[in-house]
Amino acid sequence: MDLNLPYLYYYLIFAFGLLFLVLAFIPKTGIQKLFWFGLVWGSGSDFIVEHIYCFVHLTKYQHMEPFNVGLLPLWTVLAWTPAIMLFVYTLPQRKEKYLTWIYILMWCIAVTCVAVILKQLDILVFVHGGPWIWFIGGFVFLNLQAKHYRYLQASSKNMD
């Protein structure tokens, strides 16, 4: 199916689609609580990691004008804030570790699917490697994010 939409529309659909999911699933108090965590771990780490990927010639973006931030499209960087907010809000709170691992693997697969879609839309080009780069990066960063968020939750409970 070829929609022939301008590239800006694909970026906007991606970013606002994630924003809609946040508004649909996270209560207002949760949004206020998770926003800065999502901004730092989502948009901040995406900005750094994607610049590293571009610097070492693993990936590059195309068709990102007029909203680009250096080598990256602004809308994909901003879309990671609501994505990480959803990730930590729905993070399993059970004691069984295998549930967390399955959850993280499912998110890694979703991240990889986003990479495949961006590649099919001719927005993302894998110079060396492929979508598995995003899977590995997602696995590393989602694990770190989950650990950091749980640490923050434990320390806030200890302060109460």
Side-chain angles (χ1 to χ4, degrees):
M1 176 166 83
D2 188 18
L3 298 176
N4 283 334
L5 293 174
Y7 289 103
L8 177 60
Y9 290 176
Y10 294 125
Y11 290 122
L12 291 174
I13 290 167
F14 179 58
F16 286 112
L18 283 167
L19 181 61
F20 169 77
L21 290 174
V22 163
L23 295 174
F25 291 106
I26 301 177
K28 184 179 179 182
T29 56
I31 292 173
Q32 292 171 342
K33 179 182 166 188
L34 297 174
F35 177 75
W36 287 107
F37 188 86
L39 187 66
V40 170
W41 271 105
S43 296
S45 63
D46 178 64
F47 183 81
I48 293 167
V49 170
E50 286 294 328
H51 268 88
I52 292 170
Y53 285 175
C54 289
F55 181 73
V56 296
H57 303 290
L58 293 176
T59 62
K60 73 175 185 174
Y61 284 89
Q62 14 186 60
H63 312 293
M64 57 184 166
E65 287 80 23
F67 299 105
N68 58 327
V69 183
L71 304 169
L72 305 175
L74 174 66
W75 297 108
T76 57
V77 172
L78 292 179
W80 282 102
T81 296
I84 296 308
M85 289 169 64
L86 281 168
F87 172 75
V88 295
Y89 182 75
T90 57
L91 190 64
Q93 300 299 317
R94 311 236 350 181
K95 292 186 181 188
E96 297 90 1
K97 293 272 187 198
Y98 72 91
L99 289 175
T100 302
W101 288 108
I102 291 171
Y103 178 76
I104 290 172
L105 285 174
M106 288 171 47
W107 269 86
C108 290
I109 291 168
V111 166
T112 306
C113 289
V114 168
V116 168
I117 290 169
L118 292 176
K119 181 178 186 250
Q120 290 172 348
L121 292 172
D122 199 32
I123 291 173
L124 179 64
V125 175
F126 289 98
V127 179
H128 294 98
W132 56 269
I133 296 168
W134 278 33
F135 182 87
I136 294 169
F139 188 76
V140 169
F141 277 95
L142 291 174
N143 273 306
L144 291 173
Q145 291 164 12
K147 289 179 191 306
H148 185 224
Y149 183 71
R150 288 201 170 135
Y151 169 77
L152 292 174
Q153 278 185 317
S155 18
S156 71
K157 286 179 185 175
N158 291 337
M159 289 184 170
D160 293 338

